[in-house]
Amino acid sequence: MHEWSLTVPVAKLDDEQQIVTGWALILTDAQGRSVVDSQGDMIAVAELEKAAHELVLSGGAGKTDDMHERFGVGDVVESLVVTAEKRKALGLGDGPDGWAVTMKIRDAKTWADVKAGRKLELSIYGSARRTDA
């Protein structure tokens, strides 16, 4: 079992609610090509869905960190694993496959850094087993 972390680039910010939205992980690009994450790993969509579901079932509370320096700076409040099938069902058109999340930032310092553009990414953490495909 090893600790894992997903970096979430801030794509949308809601100042009033102190929430940020971004991709937690991209599995394939818009052309369907596999994407290798920053740790050199690839994950099957079924495994990603399992991890995302477990995060939501656990309440998502405290699962955000400030780039592995300060843990529990916020909570995951929305989660969607995007697949070709889901994009088609929802009428979303072409795009990447992956995991999109929205986080509520509860830590004042982290929120100030996000708003000022000093913090362009946040993380989700957990644990997993690395296996060879």
Coordinates of all heavy atoms in Angstrom, one line a residue, residues 57-128:
L57 N -18.2 8.3 -0.6 CA -18.8 7.6 0.4 C -18.2 7.9 1.8 O -18.8 7.8 2.8 CB -18.7 6.1 0.2 CG -19.6 5.6 -1.0 CD1 -19.3 4.1 -1.3 CD2 -21.1 5.7 -0.6
S58 N -16.9 8.3 1.8 CA -16.2 8.6 3.1 C -16.6 10.0 3.5 O -16.1 10.5 4.6 CB -14.7 8.5 2.9 OG -14.2 9.6 2.2
G59 N -17.3 10.7 2.7 CA -17.7 12.1 3.0 C -16.8 13.2 2.4 O -17.1 14.3 2.4
G60 N -15.6 12.7 1.9 CA -14.7 13.7 1.3 C -14.1 14.7 2.2 O -13.3 15.5 1.8
A61 N -14.4 14.6 3.5 CA -14.0 15.7 4.4 C -12.5 15.6 4.7 O -12.0 14.5 4.9 CB -14.8 15.6 5.7
G62 N -11.8 16.7 4.6 CA -10.4 16.8 5.0 C -9.5 16.1 4.0 O -8.3 15.9 4.3
K63 N -10.0 15.7 2.8 CA -9.2 15.0 1.9 C -8.4 15.9 0.9 O -7.9 15.5 -0.1 CB -10.0 14.1 1.0 CG -10.6 12.9 1.8 CD -9.5 12.0 2.3 CE -10.1 10.7 2.9 NZ -9.1 9.9 3.5
T64 N -8.3 17.2 1.2 CA -7.5 18.1 0.4 C -6.3 18.5 1.1 O -6.3 18.6 2.4 CB -8.3 19.3 -0.1 OG1 -8.6 20.1 1.1 CG2 -9.6 18.9 -0.8
D65 N -5.2 18.7 0.4 CA -4.0 19.2 1.1 C -3.4 20.3 0.2 O -3.6 20.5 -0.9 CB -3.0 18.1 1.4 CG -2.4 17.5 0.2 OD1 -1.4 18.1 -0.3 OD2 -2.8 16.4 -0.2
D66 N -2.5 21.1 0.9 CA -1.8 22.2 0.3 C -0.4 21.6 -0.2 O 0.6 21.8 0.4 CB -1.6 23.3 1.3 CG -1.0 24.5 0.7 OD1 -0.6 24.5 -0.5 OD2 -0.9 25.6 1.4
M67 N -0.5 20.9 -1.4 CA 0.7 20.4 -2.0 C 1.6 19.6 -1.1 O 2.8 19.7 -1.1 CB 1.4 21.5 -2.8 CG 0.6 22.2 -3.8 SD -0.3 21.0 -4.9 CE 1.0 20.2 -5.8
H68 N 0.9 18.7 -0.3 CA 1.6 17.8 0.6 C 2.3 18.4 1.8 O 3.1 17.8 2.5 CB 2.6 16.9 -0.2 CG 2.1 16.5 -1.5 ND1 1.0 15.8 -1.7 CD2 2.6 16.7 -2.7 CE1 0.8 15.6 -3.0 NE2 1.8 16.2 -3.6
E69 N 2.0 19.7 2.0 CA 2.6 20.4 3.1 C 1.7 20.5 4.3 O 2.1 20.4 5.5 CB 3.1 21.8 2.7 CG 4.2 21.8 1.7 CD 4.5 23.1 1.1 OE1 4.1 24.1 1.7 OE2 5.2 23.2 0.1
R70 N 0.4 20.9 4.1 CA -0.6 21.0 5.1 C -1.8 20.2 4.7 O -2.4 20.5 3.7 CB -0.9 22.5 5.4 CG 0.3 23.2 5.9 CD 0.0 24.7 6.2 NE -0.6 25.4 5.1 CZ -1.8 26.0 5.2 NH1 -2.5 25.9 6.3 NH2 -2.3 26.6 4.2
F71 N -2.2 19.3 5.5 CA -3.3 18.4 5.2 C -4.6 18.9 5.8 O -4.6 19.6 6.8 CB -3.1 17.0 5.6 CG -1.9 16.3 4.8 CD1 -0.6 16.5 5.2 CD2 -2.2 15.6 3.7 CE1 0.4 16.0 4.4 CE2 -1.2 15.0 3.0 CZ 0.1 15.2 3.3
G72 N -5.8 18.6 5.1 CA -7.1 18.9 5.6 C -7.5 20.4 5.5 O -8.2 20.9 6.3
V73 N -7.0 21.0 4.4 CA -7.3 22.4 4.2 C -8.7 22.6 3.6 O -9.2 23.8 3.5 CB -6.2 23.1 3.3 CG1 -4.9 23.1 3.9 CG2 -6.2 22.6 1.9
G74 N -9.3 21.6 3.2 CA -10.7 21.7 2.6 C -11.3 20.3 2.4 O -10.8 19.3 2.8
D75 N -12.5 20.4 1.7 CA -13.2 19.2 1.5 C -13.6 19.1 0.1 O -13.9 20.1 -0.6 CB -14.5 19.2 2.4 CG -14.2 19.4 3.8 OD1 -13.4 18.7 4.4 OD2 -14.9 20.3 4.4
V76 N -13.7 17.8 -0.4 CA -14.2 17.6 -1.8 C -15.7 17.6 -1.7 O -16.3 16.9 -0.9 CB -13.8 16.2 -2.3 CG1 -14.4 15.9 -3.7 CG2 -12.2 16.2 -2.5
V77 N -16.4 18.5 -2.4 CA -17.8 18.7 -2.4 C -18.5 18.2 -3.6 O -19.8 18.0 -3.6 CB -18.2 20.1 -2.0 CG1 -17.7 20.5 -0.6 CG2 -17.7 21.1 -3.0
E78 N -17.8 18.0 -4.7 CA -18.4 17.5 -6.0 C -17.3 16.6 -6.6 O -16.1 16.8 -6.5 CB -18.7 18.6 -7.0 CG -19.9 19.5 -6.5 CD -20.2 20.5 -7.6 OE1 -19.7 20.5 -8.7 OE2 -20.9 21.5 -7.3
S79 N -17.8 15.5 -7.3 CA -16.9 14.6 -7.9 C -17.6 14.0 -9.1 O -18.8 13.5 -8.9 CB -16.5 13.5 -6.9 OG -15.8 12.4 -7.4
L80 N -16.9 13.9 -10.2 CA -17.5 13.3 -11.4 C -16.4 12.6 -12.2 O -15.5 13.3 -12.6 CB -18.3 14.2 -12.3 CG -18.8 13.7 -13.6 CD1 -19.8 12.6 -13.4 CD2 -19.3 14.8 -14.5
V81 N -16.5 11.3 -12.4 CA -15.6 10.6 -13.3 C -16.2 10.7 -14.7 O -17.3 10.2 -14.9 CB -15.3 9.2 -12.9 CG1 -14.4 8.5 -13.9 CG2 -14.7 9.1 -11.5
V82 N -15.5 11.4 -15.5 CA -16.0 11.7 -16.9 C -15.5 10.6 -17.8 O -14.3 10.4 -17.9 CB -15.5 13.1 -17.4 CG1 -16.0 13.4 -18.8 CG2 -16.0 14.2 -16.4
T83 N -16.4 10.0 -18.5 CA -16.0 8.9 -19.5 C -16.8 9.3 -20.8 O -17.7 10.1 -20.8 CB -16.5 7.5 -19.1 OG1 -17.9 7.5 -19.0 CG2 -15.8 7.2 -17.8
A84 N -16.4 8.6 -21.9 CA -17.1 8.9 -23.2 C -18.6 8.6 -23.1 O -19.4 9.3 -23.6 CB -16.4 8.0 -24.3
E85 N -18.9 7.5 -22.3 CA -20.3 7.1 -22.2 C -21.1 8.1 -21.4 O -22.2 8.5 -21.7 CB -20.4 5.7 -21.4 CG -19.8 4.6 -22.2 CD -18.3 4.4 -22.1 OE1 -17.6 5.1 -21.2 OE2 -17.7 3.7 -22.9
K86 N -20.5 8.7 -20.3 CA -21.2 9.7 -19.5 C -21.3 11.0 -20.3 O -22.3 11.7 -20.2 CB -20.4 9.9 -18.2 CG -20.6 8.8 -17.3 CD -19.8 9.0 -16.0 CE -19.8 7.8 -15.1 NZ -18.9 7.9 -13.9
R87 N -20.2 11.4 -21.1 CA -20.3 12.6 -21.9 C -21.4 12.5 -22.9 O -22.2 13.4 -23.1 CB -19.0 12.9 -22.6 CG -17.9 13.5 -21.7 CD -16.8 14.1 -22.5 NE -16.3 13.3 -23.6 CZ -15.5 12.2 -23.5 NH1 -15.0 11.9 -22.3 NH2 -15.2 11.5 -24.6
K88 N -21.6 11.3 -23.5 CA -22.6 11.1 -24.5 C -24.0 11.2 -23.8 O -24.9 11.8 -24.3 CB -22.5 9.7 -25.2 CG -23.5 9.5 -26.2 CD -23.2 8.1 -27.0 CE -24.3 7.9 -28.0 NZ -24.1 6.6 -28.7
A89 N -24.2 10.5 -22.7 CA -25.4 10.5 -22.0 C -25.9 11.9 -21.5 O -27.0 12.2 -21.5 CB -25.4 9.5 -20.8
L90 N -24.9 12.7 -21.2 CA -25.2 14.0 -20.7 C -25.1 15.1 -21.8 O -25.4 16.3 -21.5 CB -24.2 14.4 -19.6 CG -24.2 13.5 -18.3 CD1 -23.0 13.8 -17.4 CD2 -25.5 13.7 -17.6
G91 N -24.8 14.7 -23.0 CA -24.8 15.6 -24.1 C -23.6 16.6 -24.0 O -23.7 17.8 -24.4
L92 N -22.5 16.1 -23.5 CA -21.3 17.0 -23.3 C -20.4 17.1 -24.5 O -19.5 17.9 -24.4 CB -20.6 16.6 -22.0 CG -21.3 16.6 -20.7 CD1 -20.5 16.1 -19.6 CD2 -21.8 18.0 -20.5
G93 N -20.5 16.2 -25.5 CA -19.6 16.3 -26.6 C -18.3 15.7 -26.3 O -18.1 15.0 -25.3
D94 N -17.3 15.9 -27.2 CA -16.0 15.3 -27.0 C -15.2 16.0 -25.9 O -15.4 17.2 -25.6 CB -15.2 15.4 -28.4 CG -15.8 14.5 -29.4 OD1 -16.5 13.5 -29.1 OD2 -15.6 14.9 -30.6
G95 N -14.2 15.3 -25.4 CA -13.3 15.9 -24.4 C -12.5 14.8 -23.7 O -12.6 13.6 -24.1
P96 N -11.7 15.1 -22.7 CA -10.9 14.1 -22.0 C -11.8 13.2 -21.1 O -12.9 13.6 -20.7 CB -9.9 15.0 -21.2 CG -10.6 16.3 -21.0 CD -11.5 16.5 -22.2
D97 N -11.2 12.1 -20.8 CA -11.8 11.2 -19.8 C -10.9 11.5 -18.5 O -9.7 11.6 -18.6 CB -11.6 9.7 -20.2 CG -12.5 9.3 -21.3 OD1 -13.5 10.1 -21.6 OD2 -12.3 8.2 -21.8
G98 N -11.6 11.5 -17.4 CA -10.9 11.7 -16.2 C -11.8 12.0 -15.0 O -13.0 11.7 -15.1
W99 N -11.2 12.6 -14.0 CA -11.9 12.8 -12.7 C -11.9 14.3 -12.5 O -10.9 14.9 -12.3 CB -11.3 12.1 -11.6 CG -11.9 12.1 -10.3 CD1 -13.2 12.5 -10.0 CD2 -11.3 11.7 -9.0 NE1 -13.5 12.4 -8.6 CE2 -12.3 11.9 -8.0 CE3 -10.1 11.3 -8.7 CZ2 -12.1 11.6 -6.7 CZ3 -9.9 11.0 -7.3 CH2 -10.8 11.1 -6.4
A100 N -13.1 15.0 -12.4 CA -13.3 16.4 -12.1 C -13.8 16.5 -10.7 O -14.7 15.8 -10.3 CB -14.2 17.0 -13.1
V101 N -13.2 17.5 -10.0 CA -13.7 17.7 -8.6 C -13.9 19.1 -8.3 O -13.3 20.0 -8.9 CB -12.7 17.1 -7.5 CG1 -12.6 15.6 -7.7 CG2 -11.4 17.8 -7.6
T102 N -14.7 19.4 -7.3 CA -14.8 20.7 -6.7 C -14.5 20.6 -5.2 O -15.0 19.7 -4.6 CB -16.3 21.3 -6.9 OG1 -16.5 21.4 -8.3 CG2 -16.4 22.7 -6.3
M103 N -13.7 21.6 -4.8 CA -13.3 21.6 -3.4 C -13.7 22.8 -2.7 O -13.6 23.9 -3.3 CB -11.7 21.5 -3.3 CG -11.1 20.3 -3.9 SD -9.3 20.5 -3.8 CE -8.8 19.0 -4.6
K104 N -14.2 22.7 -1.5 CA -14.4 23.9 -0.6 C -13.2 24.1 0.3 O -12.8 23.2 1.0 CB -15.7 23.7 0.3 CG -15.9 24.9 1.1 CD -17.3 24.9 1.7 CE -17.6 26.2 2.5 NZ -17.8 27.4 1.6
I105 N -12.6 25.2 0.1 CA -11.3 25.5 0.9 C -11.7 26.2 2.2 O -12.3 27.2 2.2 CB -10.4 26.4 0.1 CG1 -10.1 25.8 -1.3 CG2 -9.1 26.6 0.8 CD1 -9.6 24.4 -1.3
R106 N -11.4 25.5 3.3 CA -11.8 26.0 4.6 C -10.6 26.8 5.3 O -10.9 27.5 6.3 CB -12.3 24.9 5.5 CG -13.5 24.2 4.8 CD -14.1 23.2 5.8 NE -15.2 22.5 5.1 CZ -16.5 23.0 4.9 NH1 -16.8 24.2 5.3 NH2 -17.4 22.2 4.4
D107 N -9.4 26.6 4.8 CA -8.3 27.2 5.5 C -8.0 28.6 4.9 O -7.9 28.8 3.7 CB -7.0 26.3 5.2 CG -5.8 26.9 5.7 OD1 -5.6 26.8 7.0 OD2 -5.0 27.4 4.9
A108 N -8.0 29.6 5.7 CA -7.9 31.0 5.3 C -6.6 31.3 4.5 O -6.7 32.0 3.5 CB -8.0 31.9 6.5
K109 N -5.5 30.8 5.0 CA -4.2 31.0 4.3 C -4.3 30.4 2.9 O -3.9 31.0 1.9 CB -3.0 30.5 5.1 CG -1.7 30.7 4.4 CD -0.6 30.0 5.1 CE 0.8 30.2 4.4 NZ 0.8 30.2 3.0
T110 N -4.7 29.2 2.8 CA -4.8 28.5 1.5 C -5.7 29.2 0.5 O -5.4 29.5 -0.6 CB -5.2 27.0 1.6 OG1 -4.3 26.4 2.5 CG2 -5.3 26.3 0.3
W111 N -6.9 29.7 1.1 CA -7.8 30.4 0.2 C -7.2 31.7 -0.3 O -7.4 32.1 -1.4 CB -9.2 30.6 0.9 CG -10.1 31.3 0.0 CD1 -10.6 32.6 0.1 CD2 -10.7 30.8 -1.2 NE1 -11.4 32.9 -0.9 CE2 -11.5 31.8 -1.7 CE3 -10.6 29.6 -1.8 CZ2 -12.2 31.6 -2.9 CZ3 -11.3 29.4 -3.0 CH2 -12.1 30.4 -3.5
A112 N -6.6 32.4 0.6 CA -5.9 33.7 0.2 C -4.9 33.4 -0.9 O -4.8 34.2 -1.9 CB -5.3 34.3 1.4
D113 N -4.1 32.3 -0.8 CA -3.1 32.0 -1.8 C -3.8 31.6 -3.1 O -3.3 32.0 -4.2 CB -2.3 30.8 -1.3 CG -1.2 31.3 -0.3 OD1 -1.0 32.5 -0.1 OD2 -0.7 30.4 0.4
V114 N -4.9 30.9 -3.1 CA -5.7 30.6 -4.3 C -6.2 31.8 -5.0 O -6.0 32.0 -6.2 CB -6.8 29.6 -4.0 CG1 -7.8 29.5 -5.2 CG2 -6.3 28.2 -3.6
K115 N -6.8 32.7 -4.2 CA -7.4 33.9 -4.8 C -6.3 34.8 -5.4 O -6.5 35.5 -6.4 CB -8.1 34.7 -3.7 CG -9.5 34.2 -3.4 CD -10.2 35.0 -2.4 CE -10.0 36.5 -2.4 NZ -10.8 37.3 -1.5
A116 N -5.1 34.9 -4.8 CA -4.0 35.7 -5.2 C -3.3 35.1 -6.4 O -2.4 35.8 -7.0 CB -3.1 36.0 -4.1
G117 N -3.6 33.9 -6.8 CA -2.9 33.2 -7.9 C -1.6 32.6 -7.5 O -0.8 32.2 -8.3
R118 N -1.3 32.6 -6.2 CA 0.0 32.0 -5.7 C -0.2 30.5 -5.5 O 0.8 29.7 -5.5 CB 0.3 32.5 -4.3 CG 0.8 34.0 -4.3 CD 1.3 34.5 -3.0 NE 0.2 34.4 -1.9 CZ -0.6 35.4 -1.6 NH1 -0.5 36.6 -2.3 NH2 -1.5 35.3 -0.7
K119 N -1.4 30.0 -5.5 CA -1.7 28.6 -5.3 C -2.6 28.2 -6.5 O -3.8 28.4 -6.5 CB -2.4 28.3 -4.0 CG -2.5 26.9 -3.6 CD -1.2 26.2 -3.4 CE -0.4 26.8 -2.3 NZ 0.9 26.3 -2.1
L120 N -2.0 27.6 -7.5 CA -2.7 27.2 -8.8 C -3.1 25.8 -8.8 O -3.8 25.3 -9.7 CB -1.8 27.5 -10.0 CG -1.4 29.0 -10.1 CD1 -0.5 29.2 -11.3 CD2 -2.6 29.9 -10.2
E121 N -2.7 25.0 -7.8 CA -3.0 23.6 -7.7 C -3.2 23.2 -6.2 O -2.6 23.7 -5.4 CB -1.9 22.7 -8.3 CG -1.6 22.9 -9.7 CD -0.4 22.1 -10.2 OE1 0.5 21.8 -9.4 OE2 -0.4 21.7 -11.4
L122 N -4.1 22.2 -6.0 CA -4.3 21.6 -4.7 C -4.3 20.1 -4.9 O -4.1 19.6 -6.0 CB -5.7 22.0 -4.2 CG -5.8 23.5 -3.9 CD1 -7.3 23.9 -3.6 CD2 -4.9 24.0 -2.7
S123 N -4.4 19.3 -3.9 CA -4.2 17.9 -4.0 C -5.4 17.2 -3.2 O -5.9 17.7 -2.3 CB -2.9 17.4 -3.4 OG -1.8 17.9 -4.1
I124 N -5.6 15.9 -3.7 CA -6.4 15.0 -2.9 C -5.5 13.9 -2.5 O -4.6 13.5 -3.3 CB -7.5 14.4 -3.9 CG1 -8.4 15.5 -4.4 CG2 -8.3 13.3 -3.1 CD1 -9.4 15.0 -5.4
Y125 N -5.6 13.3 -1.3 CA -4.7 12.3 -1.0 C -5.5 11.0 -0.5 O -6.6 11.1 -0.2 CB -3.7 12.7 0.1 CG -4.4 13.2 1.4 CD1 -4.6 12.3 2.4 CD2 -4.8 14.5 1.6 CE1 -5.2 12.7 3.6 CE2 -5.3 15.0 2.7 CZ -5.6 14.1 3.8 OH -6.2 14.5 4.9
G126 N -4.8 9.9 -0.5 CA -5.3 8.6 -0.1 C -4.3 7.6 -0.1 O -3.1 7.9 -0.1
S127 N -4.6 6.3 -0.3 CA -3.7 5.2 -0.4 C -4.1 4.3 -1.5 O -5.3 4.2 -1.7 CB -3.4 4.5 0.9 OG -4.6 4.0 1.4
A128 N -3.2 3.5 -2.0 CA -3.5 2.6 -3.1 C -2.4 1.6 -3.2 O -1.3 1.8 -2.6 CB -3.6 3.3 -4.4

